[in-house]
Structures are given as C-alpha cells and as structure tokens.
Amino acid sequence: RWFPDQSDSLSQVAYLLKSRFSDYAWTQYTDHFASSHKDYLPSDPDVIIPIPGSRKISYHTMYFSEALFRKWKRSIILPCLIKKASLEQKKQLNLYGRSDVQIVFNEDFTHQLKQARKVVLVDDIITSGTTIKASLMAIRPQLHPDCQVSIIALLSREKI
C-alpha cells in the first residue's frame, strides 16, 4: 500500500504502475529515468519492442514503450513478440513454471525488423531473465547482422 507523503518513492511508483494511472506513471518514470540515465540510453533507436507479459501481451511494457516512443520521435513500436503458454503454465506462479514459456516472433513484422539498425527491448521488470532470453532468441534470426540491441527494464530486488 502507498500513502501520499508517508511512503517511500519506490512504493509510490509500484502503486502507480499497477493502478489505472499506469500510462501517466510510466511517463513520469520514463522522464525521470531518461534524465538520470542519459549516458546509458541508446540514441534514437529504429525499433522499440515491448516484451509480452503474463497475459501474452503486457500493458506495462506497452505503456513504458509508448513513453519511450515520445522521447524518440523517429522510432516505431513493434509489438512483434507473442508469449506462448499452456493453461497449466499460466496457473503456475513460481519462477520454475514460468521458465518453460516460449516467446515467438510474429512474422508479419519481419520486413520492419530486418531494416532496423538499433533495437530496444522493453520489459517492465526482470526477475529471472528467462523472458528476456527467450525474446532475444525469438528476434535474433530476424535482425540485421549489424543491429545493436539494447534492453531497458527495471530489475527485481533479488537482482540489485
């Protein structure tokens, strides 16, 4: 729970990111992130790829991607990854059960991705790293050989 002027800023961000104010919160977070991490952000990527979440798409990564898109005017957002999961896998909440989920590339986006020279993968949070690895494996065959890939995500407390 978050209480205005009583809770720490991380609690405030977590509350806002999961609330109906998600787009606003991700925009605020992205503005803060971009200003404090200028040296680490890639400049004007061609493509921003949101990583799919637990429900095959991730609204959080889409909000984060859209906020980044507003910063990088010439980029495009490609929702080209799809999470494949069985009903049993969806029911499993532990990390072991989630590690078997596969990410596949939507072939409709092949032409756009092959032309890209700078790609940014956007995830809302990295807990175990399995989704990022699966996402990279799914897009790798579609990338130009000289393509630079960057990853932007929050890290879970276990990773910090």
Side-chain angles (χ1 to χ4, degrees):
R1 294 187 317 190
W2 172 70
F3 299 99
D5 302 320
Q6 295 177 21
S7 300
D8 63 14
S9 59
L10 182 60
S11 298
Q12 179 183 5
V13 168
Y15 169 78
L16 290 171
L17 296 179
K18 294 180 179 188
S19 74
R20 62 189 173 94
F21 301 108
S22 246
D23 185 46
Y24 171 77
W26 278 113
T27 300
Q28 296 301 311
Y29 173 77
T30 303
D31 289 344
H32 175 72
F33 178 84
S35 65
S36 58
H37 295 88
K38 286 181 237 172
D39 298 338
Y40 301 107
L41 287 177
S43 61
D44 292 324
D46 302 308
V47 173
I48 301 168
I49 300 175
I51 302 297
S54 58
R55 294 187 178 107
K56 294 190 181 180
I57 60 169
S58 178
Y59 297 105
H60 298 141
T61 59
M62 187 55 85
Y63 288 141
F64 197 5
S65 296
E66 288 171 359
L68 288 167
F69 170 75
R70 289 189 286 271
K71 295 232 164 283
W72 297 314
K73 301 294 185 204
R74 68 178 202 98
S75 301
I76 60 170
I77 298 174
L78 284 186
C80 61
L81 296 175
I82 304 164
K83 186 177 268 189
K84 295 284 186 179
S86 67
L87 184 59
E88 187 59 34
Q89 286 170 323
K90 288 179 186 178
K91 290 179 183 178
Q92 294 177 350
L93 297 177
N94 62 29
L95 291 177
Y96 175 77
R98 286 189 235 166
S99 66
D100 294 333
V101 176
Q102 296 178 350
I103 304 285
V104 294
F105 178 76
N106 180 342
E107 300 291 331
D108 295 341
F109 296 99
T110 302
H111 179 70
Q112 291 169 302
L113 194 55
K114 286 220 184 268
Q115 292 180 349
R117 296 299 185 264
K118 288 184 182 179
V119 172
V120 173
L121 290 174
V122 178
D123 203 351
D124 56 348
I125 188 162
I126 296 176
T127 306
S128 66
T130 56
T131 305
I132 286 289
K133 288 177 192 172
S135 297
L136 283 168
M137 296 301 290
I139 66 167
R140 181 175 282 166
Q142 311 306 325
L143 296 174
H144 187 277
D146 297 329
C147 185
Q148 172 190 347
V149 178
S150 301
I151 298 169
I152 297 178
L154 298 172
L155 293 176
S156 71
R157 289 191 175 195
E158 292 84 31
K159 297 276 183 187
I160 295 175

